[in-house]
Amino acid sequence: EAQVTQNPRYLITVTGKKLTVTCSQNMNHEYMSWYRQDPGLGLRQIYYSMNVEVTDKGDVPEGYKVSRKEKRNFPLILESPSPNQTSLYFCASSLRTGETNTGELFFGEGSRLTVL
Amino acid sequence: SQKIEQNSEALNIQEGKTATLTCNYTNYSPAYLQWYRQDPGRGPVFLLLIRENEKEKRKERLKVTFDTTLKQSLFHITASQPADSATYLCALADDKIIFGKGTRLHILP
């Protein structure tokens, strides 16, 4: 089954304790992206990656890191989480090459993070 | 800066009527525009894509229009049903894909 898998789905942590949210897709997609969703602010892009070893900042990259060492995985790293990073996080992927791609995003189920 | 606006936070429509949602954008020339549906606590699900050179796209009860002169897309659900109640997001795509804040649609029985 084609899917984007995020882990953990739920996490409560404390300020300053490094954490990683993993994201994996099994569709051989080139493009992957992380979003956070907050009430009244909608989906905001954190980082995106057009392909392996290529990453770019989105609209709200501060406090986050990403890496894309292999095509299927795109982990989101919070080196020193703060309470303002409490949010619902979504990973997404799409096929983004050539004239035939639609850019249709496939989303994971979300990771709800609480930073105390 | 780029800006996407969806016409209202929430919209109530009587069952059986046509629901029309609006997406306006500024400072952007997207290659295409997408519409997604999101149910509470779930990830968005892709519905339709329309390219900059297309005026209209249909899929079952859904219809999307795209006016690059007005910088606006309209999303219609005909013969609406309570199961259509959800948040609908428009997204503009170029290198990045950026989203509007969404419109919560309630179809009233």
Side-chain angles (χ1 to χ4, degrees), chain A residues 26-73:
Chain A
N26 63 359
M27 295 168 278
N28 202 36
H29 284 166
E30 289 81 12
Y31 181 93
M32 296 186 75
S33 182
W34 277 102
Y35 294 87
R36 61 177 289 175
Q37 189 171 39
D38 303 288
L41 296 177
L43 273 168
R44 294 179 293 166
Q45 191 173 45
I46 304 171
Y47 270 95
Y48 65 101
S49 169
M50 299 289 273
N51 214 324
V52 175
E53 301 292 1
V54 179
T55 62
D56 270 303
K57 296 178 180 179
D59 294 320
V60 288
E62 295 78 19
Y64 304 95
K65 283 174 59 176
V66 293
S67 67
R68 187 89 183 274
K69 292 186 170 58
E70 6 167 40
K71 202 173 194 178
R72 64 169 40 230
N73 295 322

Side-chain angles (χ1 to χ4, degrees), chain A residues 35 37 96 102-103 105 109, chain B residues 34 36 38 42 49 94 97:
Chain A
Y35 294 87
Q37 189 171 39
R96 295 269 300 190
T102 67
L105 280 172
E109 286 298 314
Chain B
Q34 304 171 343
Y36 291 78
Q38 185 176 24
R42 308 294 299 273
L49 172 149
D94 205 326
I97 299 178

Side-chain angles (χ1 to χ4, degrees), chain B residues 10-22:
Chain B
L11 189 61
N12 294 327
I13 298 292
Q14 204 66 41
E15 182 178 3
K17 302 291 186 186
T18 296
T20 298
L21 284 63
T22 306

Side-chain angles (χ1 to χ4, degrees), chain A residues 9 19 39 58 79 90 94 109:
Chain A
R9 294 288 314 281
L19 69 92
E79 293 273 2
F90 287 103
S94 75
E109 286 298 314

Side-chain angles (χ1 to χ4, degrees), chain B residues 18-44:
Chain B
T18 296
T20 298
L21 284 63
T22 306
C23 177
N24 295 293
Y25 60 93
T26 56
N27 299 326
Y28 204 54
S29 296
Y32 46 87
L33 185 147
Q34 304 171 343
W35 283 90
Y36 291 78
R37 169 184 172 138
Q38 185 176 24
D39 293 289
R42 308 294 299 273

Side-chain angles (χ1 to χ4, degrees), chain B residues 1 12 16 21-22 40-41 51 60 63 69 89 91 95 104-105:
Chain B
S1 63
N12 294 327
L21 284 63
T22 306
R51 299 183 191 280
E60 297 172 352
K63 184 177 87 170
T69 302
L89 306 168
D95 282 344
R104 278 181 288 112
L105 177 64

